[in-house]
Amino acid sequence: MQGEGISVGTDGASGAADSGADGVRSGTDGIRSGTDGRGRRGPVVAALMLAMALAALDATIVSTAIPQIVGDLGGFSVFSWLFSGYLLAVTVTLPIYGKLSDTFGRKPVLIAGSILFLIGSALCAVAWNMGALIAFRVVQGLGGGALQGTVQTLAADLYPLKERPKIQAKLSTVWAASSIAGPALGGLIAAYADWRWIFLINLPIGAVALWLIVRHLHEPEREQATRGRTDWAGALAVFACGGVLLTALVQGGVAWGWLSAPSLALFAGGLLLAAAVVVIERRAAEPIIPGWVWRRRTIAAVNLALGALGLLMVAPTVFLPTYAQSVLGLAPIAAGFVLSVMTLSWPVSAALSQHVYRRLGFRDTALIGIGGAALFLFAFPFLPYPGQAWQPALIMLLLGAALGLFQLPLIVGVQSTVGWSERGTATASVLFCRQIGQTLGAALFGAVANSVLTSRLGGAGSLDAVAHALEDPNSIADPERLRRAVDSAVDTVYVGAGCAAVIALLVLVFLAPRRFPVIGAEAPENGEVGALESRENTELTPHEGHMNRPAE
């Protein structure tokens, strides 16, 4: 069998099977390429980029209109749930949508998720109070989970291994452009139109994406016998468990103390639900979170490493803008630029990473990336005080380049170790762990920053007080003391982020196989997805032009 479609002869990233530890099963998934000539990858890729833009814009555009939303609807004490509610819904549904896409196909899941997201957007635009807006944001998040996970999975379905960096780089560019355009667009709408247009703008974009998906995305029919029963009990248990635990993490230390009755009750309830999930999933014929996700060394290692990525990303995305405004004295737009340079170098580095992992392999390329990221994060506390804006901007530029080398090879590598019928679940598990890492990071580093601020300001400081001081510098007696306190707090957070990068590095060194056990696959033709895939483990040696039988 020749390695057509993947170009195994030049793909140095592919490696020897991990002595069976990655355990990819042999056989076929019963899928055949229809090759009816109707589909084209171009319109499908455009649909995926539009769908990704919906999810990416939503993360940035809403924040700029918060003053107008609160002024219109009230509810200042609970407005943070506009983000927390959406985050909870996206995170807990990722593994559910991943399994459903493996069972019923990517197209129906993506269509259902897109429709749900658009319904949530329309409802948000007509919200009459903050409670209703929060509830409708949760509906949006229920659709957003399908958008994030299924788009990434389809990207792997549409492209063979050697071409996947191209589509992943395009999707990364969408995130980068959205992170820059989102705040500006949100600010313009908030300033010159009603804030409700922030949600209404999703409707035409989503409608175009939905039409392209329906019209151009074609999946071969799957035999009913291959689907098995859907684990709805497991899906409900995962949703309930994730919702309770993430609520405890998001609200702990903010709405109530970590050792307060609400926190203890939520954590206790979450642990009980987690035990219920384990019992239900062990008995299910087709579990939502199958055990093989954690039994295979490759997937388990990548899950943990990208969980650490989510953890460390809290430092630049959450704390750098505050640092730029309070320590460097920049305006909000200039502070956003300091952060945005990271999103410029990230997709460029991701696009070029294929030239590295074809020679060194997925794991070693990721090690270079996360090693560089650790150095850049640890370098941040050594910046001079108060310093110049170009100094943290340079660190963010280098950090984005390092993380592009780290994340993309791991995602492409995991997707290449599983067949079509497992790819949705594997991709969702990676994204789920990254989301969990971000939630943990927000809670952990928020507590750390508050602790440092309280210590440096003599018990009179918190992130809320800092935010108020930024709006009205005359509200505090000693602005210089506040600036130095924020500088110390952000430095401490960056040290913590550097430690998270070291954890990711150690996970890859000691847990991940040196070479990922890549599965041979035919490239889909004319936009058809789900082409026949050989479900054999392959031992792919760099620069060899053939595929060998797996190591037993």
Side-chain angles (χ1 to χ4, degrees), residues 236-300:
L236 180 61
V238 169
F239 187 86
C241 176
V244 170
L245 287 176
L246 288 176
T247 299
L249 291 171
V250 169
Q251 292 298 100
V254 179
W256 48 69
W258 286 109
L259 299 179
S260 65
S263 278
L264 295 177
L266 285 171
F267 279 118
L271 292 176
L272 290 175
L273 287 170
V277 168
V278 173
V279 172
I280 293 172
E281 296 297 85
R282 292 188 67 177
R283 294 179 177 178
E286 293 289 338
I288 290 293
I289 303 180
W292 57 260
V293 168
W294 293 104
R295 286 195 298 268
R296 299 180 191 174
R297 282 180 56 196
T298 305
I299 301 176

Side-chain angles (χ1 to χ4, degrees), residues 515-547:
R515 302 196 182 281
F516 286 17
V518 173
I519 293 176
E522 295 180 26
E525 299 177 7
N526 298 325
E528 291 284 347
V529 298
L532 174 64
E533 297 193 359
S534 72
R535 300 296 309 281
E536 298 176 346
N537 280 346
T538 56
E539 182 174 337
L540 306 180
T541 306
H543 311 301
E544 287 185 1
H546 61 278
M547 300 198 321

Side-chain angles (χ1 to χ4, degrees), residues 413-457:
V414 161
Q415 291 176 331
S416 303
T417 65
V418 293
W420 188 96
S421 62
E422 295 177 340
R423 190 172 291 139
T425 300
T427 302
S429 73
V430 168
L431 299 178
F432 176 75
C433 289
R434 189 178 65 187
Q435 289 283 104
I436 291 293
Q438 288 178 327
T439 305
L440 287 172
L444 174 63
F445 292 141
V448 168
N450 267 313
S451 176
V452 174
L453 285 171
T454 300
S455 173
R456 296 297 297 267
L457 297 176

Side-chain angles (χ1 to χ4, degrees), residues 41-361:
R41 285 196 305 198
V44 177
V45 171
L48 298 185
M49 294 178 71
L50 287 174
M52 184 65 75
L54 286 176
L57 276 173
D58 192 82
T60 56
I61 195 172
V62 176
S63 60
T64 57
I66 288 300
Q68 289 74 19
I69 294 174
V70 172
D72 187 14
L73 301 180
F76 179 79
S77 61
V78 295
F79 85 88
S80 63
W81 271 99
L82 291 177
F83 307 98
S84 299
Y86 182 85
L87 172 67
L88 292 174
V90 169
T91 303
V92 299
T93 55
L94 274 170
I96 297 172
Y97 283 126
K99 183 62 179 179
L100 292 178
S101 73
D102 285 342
T103 303
F104 298 103
R106 325 298 189 208
K107 184 174 182 177
V109 171
L110 187 54
I111 289 175
S114 300
I115 292 174
L116 195 55
F117 185 90
L118 295 180
I119 290 174
S121 298
L123 290 174
C124 286
V126 299
W128 52 91
N129 58 36
M130 185 61 74
L133 184 57
I134 290 171
F136 297 150
R137 284 282 288 168
V138 172
V139 175
Q140 259 194 318
L142 294 176
L147 294 180
Q148 290 193 28
T150 312
V151 165
Q152 292 282 0
T153 305
L154 268 169
D157 289 343
L158 284 168
Y159 287 83
L161 176 57
K162 70 175 182 178
E163 296 182 29
R164 281 176 196 160
K166 298 178 181 178
I167 180 62
Q168 291 289 353
K170 290 178 180 179
L171 296 179
S172 296
T173 302
V174 170
W175 276 100
S178 299
S179 67
I180 298 172
L185 182 59
L188 288 173
I189 292 175
Y192 299 104
D194 192 279
W195 61 264
R196 299 176 189 273
W197 283 99
I198 284 177
F199 299 103
L200 290 174
I201 199 174
N202 290 335
L203 301 183
I205 298 175
V208 173
L210 196 56
W211 180 81
L212 289 172
I213 292 166
V214 172
R215 176 69 179 83
H216 295 284
L217 178 59
H218 303 291
E219 291 185 296
E221 291 292 332
R222 304 191 72 202
E223 296 179 7
Q224 186 68 29
T226 66
R227 288 180 175 174
R229 297 181 59 184
T230 303
D231 179 24
W232 295 114
L236 180 61
V238 169
F239 187 86
C241 176
V244 170
L245 287 176
L246 288 176
T247 299
L249 291 171
V250 169
Q251 292 298 100
V254 179
W256 48 69
W258 286 109
L259 299 179
S260 65
S263 278
L264 295 177
L266 285 171
F267 279 118
L271 292 176
L272 290 175
L273 287 170
V277 168
V278 173
V279 172
I280 293 172
E281 296 297 85
R282 292 188 67 177
R283 294 179 177 178
E286 293 289 338
I288 290 293
I289 303 180
W292 57 260
V293 168
W294 293 104
R295 286 195 298 268
R296 299 180 191 174
R297 282 180 56 196
T298 305
I299 301 176
V302 171
N303 283 344
L304 293 174
L306 290 186
L309 172 65
L311 192 69
L312 71 87
M313 280 302 297
V314 171
T317 57
V318 175
F319 292 94
L320 185 62
T322 299
Y323 171 89
Q325 292 180 64
S326 60
V327 177
L328 301 181
L330 300 179
I333 294 177
F337 176 76
V338 173
L339 174 61
S340 67
V341 294
M342 179 179 69
T343 64
L344 298 177
S345 59
W346 191 318
V348 173
S349 173
L352 297 176
S353 67
Q354 59 177 315
H355 302 294
V356 182
Y357 70 64
R358 285 179 179 174
R359 287 185 170 274
L360 302 181

Side-chain angles (χ1 to χ4, degrees), residues 364-374 401-403 405-406:
D364 291 349
T365 302
L367 283 174
I368 294 173
I370 197 61
L403 294 178
L405 281 179
F406 170 67

